[in-house]
Amino acid sequence: MPGHQAGLKLFGNCMARTKTRFSLSIIESLRFRDEKLSWFEGRILSDILRLSRREIDVDYIYIRTRKELTAALKRFSKSRNRYLHISSHGNEGEIGLTLDTVPFEELGDELAPHMDEKRLFFSACQVVNEDLADVVMNQTGCRSVIGPRTEICFSDAALMWATFYHLMFRDPEAKAMKGGKIRWALRRVLAFAEEFDYFTRAGTAKGYKKVDVADR
């Protein structure tokens, strides 16, 4: 099924979008040496968020292989959670799992059935860039992809993302992450990461645009 059709169910001659939940899924994969040091950023993040007054519903899964990534993304779809956070290593052309690497083009194929109208967050060095945006924003139906531009240490990353998600979810009346609120929250965690790359859908030639986080 093409990416832009993901998340849709066919009823007669009409297309109806599957209802999603204001909730977060975290997929994490580390190097063996990080596992030995217990540098499980995503696991710590999920534990912190479960302490929130909002009682955020967080689904956490740890993976090591490409095959497990496929299974984890299917679980994400089944959860109907609207937001996906991927914590891994990576570079300007691929993400790194414990035992496999996944080039962006192949990552787009993996994400395509699962990201329609959802938001994607990466905690991975140098991963969020225009090459990733070309794939994710044009092949998956994703609303936005966000991640820190520069490398940050484990402790800062865990605290940064915990603060960001706490700010996004803490309002008991909130039902969605809106662009203005996302920029507002990112500005408040710049003490941990000097810059973010934030791409969102737009009616441009590329089909997306890069957002200036400082834009109010």
Side-chain angles (χ1 to χ4, degrees), residues 41 85-89 121-125 146-148 152 157 160-161:
E41 171 203 312
H85 178 102
I86 297 179
S87 176
S88 71
H89 291 282
F121 301 88
F122 273 101
S123 185
C125 305
I146 297 171
I152 57 177
M160 178 191 76
W161 286 114

Side-chain angles (χ1 to χ4, degrees), residues 96-208:
L97 309 179
T98 312
L99 296 172
D100 295 318
T101 58
V102 186
F104 288 165
E105 285 294 332
E106 296 177 19
L107 180 63
D109 293 338
E110 293 281 359
L111 291 170
H114 311 292
M115 291 305 303
D116 191 61
E117 293 296 322
K118 299 176 183 178
R119 295 189 187 272
L120 178 61
F121 301 88
F122 273 101
S123 185
C125 305
Q126 300 178 311
V127 164
V128 179
N129 54 51
E130 288 207 17
D131 289 339
L132 178 73
D134 284 341
V135 172
V136 171
M137 301 307 299
N138 291 320
Q139 294 183 21
T140 74
C142 186
R143 290 191 63 84
S144 64
V145 58
I146 297 171
R149 182 174 301 170
T150 55
E151 184 174 355
I152 57 177
C153 68
F154 161 77
S155 57
D156 280 353
L159 291 170
M160 178 191 76
W161 286 114
T163 302
F164 171 79
Y165 287 121
H166 173 70
L167 292 172
M168 297 306 303
F169 283 102
R170 68 177 177 176
D171 182 355
E173 302 300 319
K175 296 181 179 179
M177 291 188 189
K178 302 293 186 180
K181 185 71 174 290
I182 291 172
R183 295 193 302 275
W184 171 84
L186 290 175
R187 289 195 295 272
R188 278 148 183 81
V189 298
L190 286 175
F192 300 104
E194 294 181 2
E195 295 180 281
F196 286 90
D197 279 325
Y198 175 0
F199 298 92
T200 189
R201 277 198 325 219
T204 64
K206 287 188 174 183
Y208 67 88

Side-chain angles (χ1 to χ4, degrees), residues 4-176:
H4 70 281
Q5 295 293 330
L8 300 180
K9 288 186 177 180
L10 184 63
F11 293 93
N13 294 323
C14 301
M15 298 296 286
R17 194 174 300 282
T18 301
K19 186 176 181 180
T20 57
R21 305 188 307 150
F22 186 49
S23 302
L24 176 70
S25 289
I26 299 173
I27 298 174
E28 183 165 40
S29 189
L30 303 177
R31 300 186 181 110
F32 282 125
R33 66 173 179 266
D34 296 330
E35 293 181 355
K36 187 174 181 180
L37 292 168
S38 297
W39 285 1
F40 292 92
E41 171 203 312
R43 182 182 299 170
I44 293 170
L45 173 59
S46 65
D47 289 342
I48 292 173
L49 293 177
R50 289 188 181 110
L51 296 174
S52 169
R53 290 178 300 172
R54 174 73 183 253
E55 297 183 354
I56 302 168
D57 184 4
V58 183
D59 182 50
Y60 171 83
I61 184 169
Y62 188 83
I63 65 171
R64 282 178 167 172
T65 67
R66 170 77 173 269
K67 186 174 181 179
E68 289 176 327
L69 174 63
T70 302
L73 289 170
K74 289 179 180 178
R75 172 167 153 173
F76 167 62
S77 280
K78 189 174 181 180
S79 75
R80 296 186 292 109
N81 291 348
R82 196 177 305 150
Y83 310 109
L84 176 61
H85 178 102
I86 297 179
S87 176
S88 71
H89 291 282
N91 57 44
E92 295 178 349
E94 63 188 14
I95 66 166
L97 309 179
T98 312
L99 296 172
D100 295 318
T101 58
V102 186
F104 288 165
E105 285 294 332
E106 296 177 19
L107 180 63
D109 293 338
E110 293 281 359
L111 291 170
H114 311 292
M115 291 305 303
D116 191 61
E117 293 296 322
K118 299 176 183 178
R119 295 189 187 272
L120 178 61
F121 301 88
F122 273 101
S123 185
C125 305
Q126 300 178 311
V127 164
V128 179
N129 54 51
E130 288 207 17
D131 289 339
L132 178 73
D134 284 341
V135 172
V136 171
M137 301 307 299
N138 291 320
Q139 294 183 21
T140 74
C142 186
R143 290 191 63 84
S144 64
V145 58
I146 297 171
R149 182 174 301 170
T150 55
E151 184 174 355
I152 57 177
C153 68
F154 161 77
S155 57
D156 280 353
L159 291 170
M160 178 191 76
W161 286 114
T163 302
F164 171 79
Y165 287 121
H166 173 70
L167 292 172
M168 297 306 303
F169 283 102
R170 68 177 177 176
D171 182 355
E173 302 300 319
K175 296 181 179 179

